[in-house]
Amino acid sequence: MVKVYIDGQEGTTGLKITERFEGRNDIEVIRISEEKRKDSFERARLINSADYVFLCLPDEASREAVSFVDNDHVRIIDASTAHRTNPNWAYGFPELSAEHRQKIAASNRVAVPGCYASGFASIVYPLVKNNIIPDDYPVFAYATSGYSGAGKKAIAVYESDEKPYEFNSPRQYAMSQQHKHLPEMQAVSGLKYKPMFNPIVCDYFSGMVVSVPIQSRTLANSVTAERIHEMYKKHYEGANMVEVMPLMSADEQKSFFLASNTLSGLNKLQVFVFGNDEQILLCARLDNLGKGASGAAVQCLNIMMGIDETTGLM
């Protein structure tokens, strides 16, 4: 039985990770007492007594927690943004490539992807890797998301009886193009330049869709919706948590609505190809608390432990 400590166990991601360990007899979760949650000495003691440590913390607190490690056998899985572009850390999205999976399995330091970045990379990484788009392509992405990823304070506002009127509407944010996931989205996907990104938070709890439009006239003549769909099917062949959805006909698309909350509570990501050969719309649907956070973290743990990656997730 392996010992697991969750630093930040009372946060949204920490609570979800704890839920995913219920019923597992191969995990012993080490808990910190409520009065010592911010006690650095107690946190350091528990971190070094564990086999695996999840960091569900703000960036600076995450860096501090890593500095506490003085036991070479402690393996860290960080759910903050602090280490996602650090080449010394494995990037925790195993389906992106065999190399990503191998690095996760062998590493003592794994950075769990951000929720928006997971959807974005699932679409854009294969496009660049398979030479569908060049690495200097001017990528634009937009996304709709539930409010669960906004943190405890925002969740409290959304669920309050005194919720402001404008919270009933989808709200665009990060207008300055400085969203914290942008460096990760660029680096992981292999882009020379940061993409433009337009996130939109909506009045439902969890789930998201990340969308990337492609104008085929800006690319080689051989780029079609069907070719991109076949590429995704080959790229994600055999994946347990990523599913490439069937290509729809024009008539089927006319009556289809893509909801953002369909995978809420699940640990899957679905890839869609819409549009036509002139204007192609690529979409990734996932739960921002599942494959976009806690589910991805537990999947990485399973891979690091050398067991079935779906344990506790399916």
Side-chain angles (χ1 to χ4, degrees), residues 41-62:
F41 292 102
E42 180 67 1
R43 288 171 55 216
R45 184 183 73 81
L46 295 178
I47 285 171
N48 287 289
S49 69
D51 299 302
Y52 295 89
V53 175
F54 290 90
L55 303 181
C56 305
L57 304 163
D59 288 1
E60 197 53 45
S62 176

Side-chain angles (χ1 to χ4, degrees), residues 62-281:
S62 176
R63 295 187 186 97
E64 178 189 47
V66 173
S67 74
F68 293 158
V69 178
D70 57 23
N71 182 342
D72 291 340
H73 298 292
V74 176
R75 306 181 77 180
I76 304 290
I77 303 170
D78 185 7
S80 78
T81 65
H83 301 101
R84 292 173 185 164
T85 58
N86 186 332
N88 295 320
W89 285 62
Y91 190 70
F93 197 149
E95 293 88 355
L96 287 185
S97 70
E99 291 77 17
H100 281 86
R101 182 178 294 276
Q102 291 162 3
K103 191 170 182 180
I104 293 167
S107 181
N108 283 339
R109 301 287 183 268
V110 174
V112 179
C115 52
Y116 286 128
S118 293
F120 182 86
S122 73
I123 296 171
V124 179
Y125 176 91
L127 292 177
V128 177
K129 183 78 171 177
N130 292 279
N131 299 311
I132 301 292
I133 64 172
D135 60 6
D136 62 352
Y137 190 80
V139 177
F140 166 70
Y142 61 93
T144 52
S145 174
Y147 58 77
S148 60
K152 280 190 170 183
K153 290 183 179 180
I155 291 172
V157 174
Y158 268 103
E159 297 182 348
S160 167
D161 291 338
E162 288 80 39
K163 180 175 65 177
Y165 176 72
E166 60 267 25
F167 277 55
N168 294 303
S169 165
R171 295 185 301 140
Q172 300 183 55
Y173 68 103
M175 316 297 250
S176 66
Q177 293 303 302
Q178 298 295 316
H179 192 279
K180 66 180 182 179
H181 286 181
L182 278 171
E184 173 188 358
M185 292 159 72
Q186 177 190 353
V188 172
S189 299
L191 297 171
K192 281 187 177 179
Y193 307 103
K194 288 181 182 179
M196 288 195 69
F197 181 47
N198 180 206
I200 305 165
V201 62
C202 308
D203 187 16
Y204 65 94
F205 184 67
S206 68
M208 63 171 45
V209 171
V210 181
S211 301
V212 175
I214 297 290
Q215 299 277 358
S216 62
R217 67 177 180 272
T218 65
L219 302 170
N221 292 333
S222 59
V223 173
T224 64
E226 184 174 1
R227 180 188 168 193
I228 291 177
H229 186 261
E230 287 301 315
M231 178 274 294
Y232 282 136
K233 285 174 60 179
K234 183 176 180 180
H235 189 89
Y236 290 116
E237 186 176 6
N240 290 306
M241 306 290 186
V242 178
E243 180 181 10
V244 179
M245 305 304 287
L247 193 63
M248 295 183 185
S249 68
D251 285 342
E252 288 173 322
Q253 291 184 55
K254 284 180 182 178
S255 58
F256 181 76
F257 288 80
L258 184 63
S260 299
N261 62 350
T262 309
L263 296 183
S264 182
L266 302 178
N267 295 290
K268 293 182 63 177
L269 185 151
Q270 295 172 329
V271 174
F272 296 84
V273 178
F274 296 115
N276 51 60
D277 288 345
E278 288 75 41
Q279 296 176 312
I280 304 167
L281 181 62

